[in-house]
Amino acid sequence: MAPDPLQPLSPLSLDTIRSTLATQAFGRRIDLHDRIDSTNREAVALARAGVEHGTVVVADSQTEGRGRLSRQWFSPPAVSLYCSIVIRKPIGAEQMAEWLSWLPLMTALATAEAIDTIAAASVSVKWPNDLLIAERKIGGILCESGTVARSGSYQIVGLGLNVNGDRNDFPEDLRETATTIRHETGHPVERNRLLARFLHELEACVEEFESRGSERLALAYRQRCSTIGKTVKATLTDGKEFIGLAESIEQDGTLRVVQRPLPIDGRPPDIQRLRVADIIHVRT
Ligand code: BTN
C-alpha cells in the first residue's frame, strides 16, 4: 500500500508542506535539504545573495546546528524540525530596535501557537525564546541579522524543535533539561504540517507588528511566558549573575527583574532590564 503522505512519521516533503501551507510570502520558496551544516548559515548566505523575503531553508538533519550563545544545537535526522526563514521588511530606522527585539519573541509565540494547534500540547515560553513543555525545553530560536549594500538589510529566524525523538537519545548533558513533543504528549507529530502552521503563525505575527506595532503581540507573549512571576538566575552578557524576581516583560521586549533576596538594610532592590541574557527558572 502506498504510504499516506500525512502519516505521523512521514519524511519531510515539499509537496506535503505545500498541501497545508496557507501563507502569502513565507515559503513561496522552500529549499529542503536532507542534511546540511546549518540552516541558519545557509539562509544567511542566501540572504546575502539576494533571495526574496520569506525564503525558507529546511533540513532533516544538521551537522553543525548553531544554538544561542555559541552553543551547538543537537540535530539528529528524521525526528526534528530545523528551519530558517529569510525576512526582509522595510522597517524604518526609528522602529528597527523594537523590531529586532520583538522578532525572536514573536517567533517563540508563533511556534507555541503552531504546536498547540497541531500537537494539542500546552507550550510555554521561557524568556526570551525557549519553548517549554512541563518546564523542559522542546525548542529554541536563533535570530541573526545583517545588511548587504545591494539588497539591503535582512533578518534570519532559525527554529529548532525536538518533535518526535526519544528523550533518551539526547546527549547526557541535555537529558535533564530537554524533551520532545512526542515524549510529552504521548503521540507523534507530523512535521510537515507543523512547519506549515508555524510559517502561517509567524507571517501573521509579522503582519501584526507591521500594521499595529508590538502592543497586542506583547499581551499574547506575556500570557505564554512562564518566566513572569518566577525567581530567575540570569547570566548577563558580561558573565555576571543576577538573581531576582522576573516581574514583567516591558513593551520593548526586555525582562524586568527585581533583586532577590531583598537587601536587608532597607536599600531599594537592584532592578535589571534584560535585553540579552541566559535565564534559569529557579522556582515559582
Ligand atoms: C537555542 O540555543 O535555543 C537556539 C537554537 C536554534 C537552533 C536552530 S535549528 C535551525 C537553525 N539553524 C541553526 O543552525 N540553528 C537554528
Side-chain angles (χ1 to χ4, degrees):
M1 204 171 75
D4 174 352
L6 287 183
Q7 258 205 351
L9 286 179
S10 54
L12 288 173
S13 118
L14 284 183
D15 285 348
T16 318
I17 296 166
R18 293 212 178 286
S19 70
T20 57
L21 190 62
T23 54
Q24 296 292 319
F26 282 18
R28 214 159 27 207
R29 168 173 170 180
I30 301 178
D31 291 4
L32 173 59
H33 300 261
D34 192 35
R35 201 166 107 112
I36 198 169
D37 49 4
S38 152
T39 58
N40 260 39
R41 192 211 49 77
E42 174 69 5
V44 169
L46 290 174
R48 298 189 73 78
V51 289
E52 64 172 339
H53 167 68
T55 297
V56 176
V57 181
V58 196
D60 190 57
S61 67
Q62 299 183 117
T63 52
E64 290 169 39
R66 303 178 190 166
R68 284 179 70 227
L69 309 169
S70 308
R71 295 179 184 133
Q72 286 187 342
W73 187 255
F74 178 58
S75 307
V79 288
S80 300
L81 260 186
Y82 317 107
C83 72
S84 303
I85 303 142
V86 176
I87 300 185
R88 300 181 188 282
K89 281 283 164 192
I91 306 283
E94 69 293 343
Q95 234 196 341
M96 191 47 104
E98 190 189 1
W99 164 246
L100 292 178
S101 331
W102 271 98
L103 189 57
L105 277 59
M106 71 174 85
T107 305
L109 183 60
T111 311
E113 297 284 338
I115 297 169
D116 269 13
T117 308
I118 300 297
S122 182
V123 181
S124 67
V125 176
K126 178 164 80 85
W127 183 91
N129 49 17
D130 279 354
L131 294 140
L132 310 181
I133 299 182
E135 283 296 307
R136 288 208 164 90
K137 183 159 169 171
I138 52 146
I141 289 154
L142 179 66
C143 292
E144 304 184 45
S145 58
T147 305
V148 187
R150 211 164 10 102
S151 51
S153 76
Y154 63 85
Q155 290 82 47
I156 306 298
V157 165
L159 170 68
L161 271 186
N162 310 326
V163 183
N164 289 320
D166 187 328
R167 253 191 82 192
N168 297 319
D169 292 339
F170 283 113
E172 210 170 322
D173 57 324
L174 297 178
R175 243 170 259 165
E176 266 310 296
T177 52
T179 188
T180 73
I181 303 174
R182 181 180 193 162
H183 183 92
E184 297 302 323
T185 60
H187 54 80
V189 178
E190 218 286 318
R191 290 178 298 160
N192 297 292
R193 286 184 60 210
L194 183 57
L195 173 60
R197 186 72 200 192
F198 161 66
L199 294 175
H200 173 76
E201 297 286 351
L202 184 60
E203 192 171 83
C205 286
V206 170
E207 277 167 16
E208 170 68 22
F209 183 90
E210 273 189 296
S211 56
R212 301 172 192 246
S214 62
E215 199 172 323
R216 294 200 328 175
L217 290 168
L219 285 176
Y221 182 88
R222 287 182 191 117
Q223 279 181 358
R224 281 273 178 198
C225 183
S226 60
T227 305
I228 298 170
K230 289 214 167 70
T231 302
V232 297
K233 183 162 89 177
T235 306
L236 312 181
T237 41
D238 60 5
K240 290 198 181 117
E241 288 186 346
F242 182 77
I243 296 180
L245 178 69
E247 262 197 358
S248 58
I249 312 281
E250 311 277 280
Q251 199 57 44
D252 63 358
T254 53
L255 181 70
R256 182 184 146 96
V257 184
V258 182
Q259 180 188 358
R260 286 290 186 277
L262 293 167
I264 45 173
D265 57 8
R267 272 184 303 118
D270 197 4
I271 296 177
Q272 295 271 350
R273 287 183 181 80
L274 304 178
R275 187 171 292 282
V276 182
D278 199 23
I279 292 284
I280 295 173
H281 290 170
V282 180
R283 61 173 178 273
T284 313

